[in-house]
Amino acid sequence: MQRNFAPQGWLKVPRFYNLLQDAIGGNALRQRFIRDHVQAKAGDKVVDIGCGPAQILPWLPEVDYLGLDINPACIASAKRMHPGRGTFVVGDTESLWDDSRFRDADVVIGLGILHHLGDKEAEHCVRFAHRALKQGGRFVCFEACWVPNQGFLSRYIMSKDPGQNIRTEQMYRQLVGDVFKNVNAWVDTKPLRIPYVMIFLECQK
């Protein structure tokens, strides 16, 4: 079974995880990401891999939203918080590979999932995103990213991230580039209120 992007300990509780994200600027980052990179339109089909409690849903227009997460508590929270706004499924990209609901999407979103996965699992996740998209659809994601001459505090904080597969820009480009031929990437050295570095990826099928 694939060990996708599950937070550890008290971070498994959606309420505490969301409070942490508010404190460090994670939810503000997600909102900017939805506006600047996802750019979903009303009526689009959107698949959210590792959706958590679907905290991005209020920032999306009226879309056909499908969220998946391996944490049953997160899916239960998403259903409770967003009744009638989407479909929320417990599972990962392996168990849901043949689920026909995850097809013909306009946008697939992955917010901070790949750095929780080893190389084979991450490649499978990217291939799931590609399989889920219609032709011309986009896979958009952001991830923690190592950069040259990174500050000590930033490297220390990122080293404590529950996701222990943080990669460099070139490694992320190669990971998604093995599946998608049209890839754009941007590195942000100040995405949060704490010292941190992230890469933003847009991949078109």
Side-chain angles (χ1 to χ4, degrees), residues 126-177:
V126 174
R127 292 193 181 280
F128 178 92
H130 187 274
R131 180 180 170 92
L133 287 167
K134 63 174 59 172
Q135 195 64 36
R138 295 179 305 122
F139 173 47
V140 291
C141 62
F142 62 62
E143 296 292 334
C145 181
W146 299 124
V147 294
N149 303 315
Q150 189 167 345
F152 169 79
L153 186 55
S154 174
R155 290 191 68 86
Y156 176 78
I157 292 173
M158 289 170 60
S159 73
K160 301 303 180 182
D161 191 292
Q164 291 297 298
N165 292 284
I166 298 174
R167 299 168 173 88
T168 65
E169 177 183 358
Q170 183 58 37
M171 293 167 72
Y172 283 117
R173 283 182 176 273
Q174 182 174 343
L175 174 64
V176 297

Side-chain angles (χ1 to χ4, degrees), residues 9-191:
W10 61 272
L11 290 180
K12 290 182 180 180
V13 181
R15 180 182 178 185
F16 291 144
Y17 181 76
N18 204 45
L19 287 172
L20 173 65
Q21 291 300 311
D22 273 336
I24 67 174
N27 286 332
L29 171 65
R30 285 172 172 80
Q31 190 169 5
R32 295 194 305 273
F33 183 76
I34 295 300
R35 180 193 66 212
D36 298 338
H37 296 279
V38 175
Q39 298 179 339
K41 304 182 298 294
D44 279 355
K45 183 173 183 178
V46 175
V47 171
D48 188 0
I49 302 175
C51 66
Q55 64 262 50
I56 68 169
L57 197 45
W59 304 319
L60 290 168
E62 292 295 324
V63 298
D64 179 11
Y65 178 92
L66 291 89
L68 63 124
D69 200 285
I70 61 170
N71 186 343
C74 284
I75 294 300
S77 178
K79 291 178 178 179
R80 186 169 58 252
M81 293 169 60
H82 311 291
R85 282 293 312 274
T87 300
F88 310 101
V89 182
V90 176
D92 60 24
T93 59
E94 287 187 2
S95 64
L96 298 173
W97 179 260
D98 291 320
D99 191 320
S100 61
R101 291 174 294 181
F102 298 94
R103 297 289 186 277
D104 298 318
D106 296 282
V107 184
V108 174
I109 301 172
L111 303 186
I113 56 173
L114 297 178
H115 75 283
H116 288 271
L117 305 177
D119 290 343
K120 289 185 178 180
E121 293 173 320
E123 180 185 356
H124 187 278
C125 183
V126 174
R127 292 193 181 280
F128 178 92
H130 187 274
R131 180 180 170 92
L133 287 167
K134 63 174 59 172
Q135 195 64 36
R138 295 179 305 122
F139 173 47
V140 291
C141 62
F142 62 62
E143 296 292 334
C145 181
W146 299 124
V147 294
N149 303 315
Q150 189 167 345
F152 169 79
L153 186 55
S154 174
R155 290 191 68 86
Y156 176 78
I157 292 173
M158 289 170 60
S159 73
K160 301 303 180 182
D161 191 292
Q164 291 297 298
N165 292 284
I166 298 174
R167 299 168 173 88
T168 65
E169 177 183 358
Q170 183 58 37
M171 293 167 72
Y172 283 117
R173 283 182 176 273
Q174 182 174 343
L175 174 64
V176 297
D178 285 344
V179 180
F180 290 90
K181 300 311 175 188
N182 188 351
V183 176
N184 290 309
W186 302 265
V187 173
D188 187 343
T189 57
K190 295 182 180 180

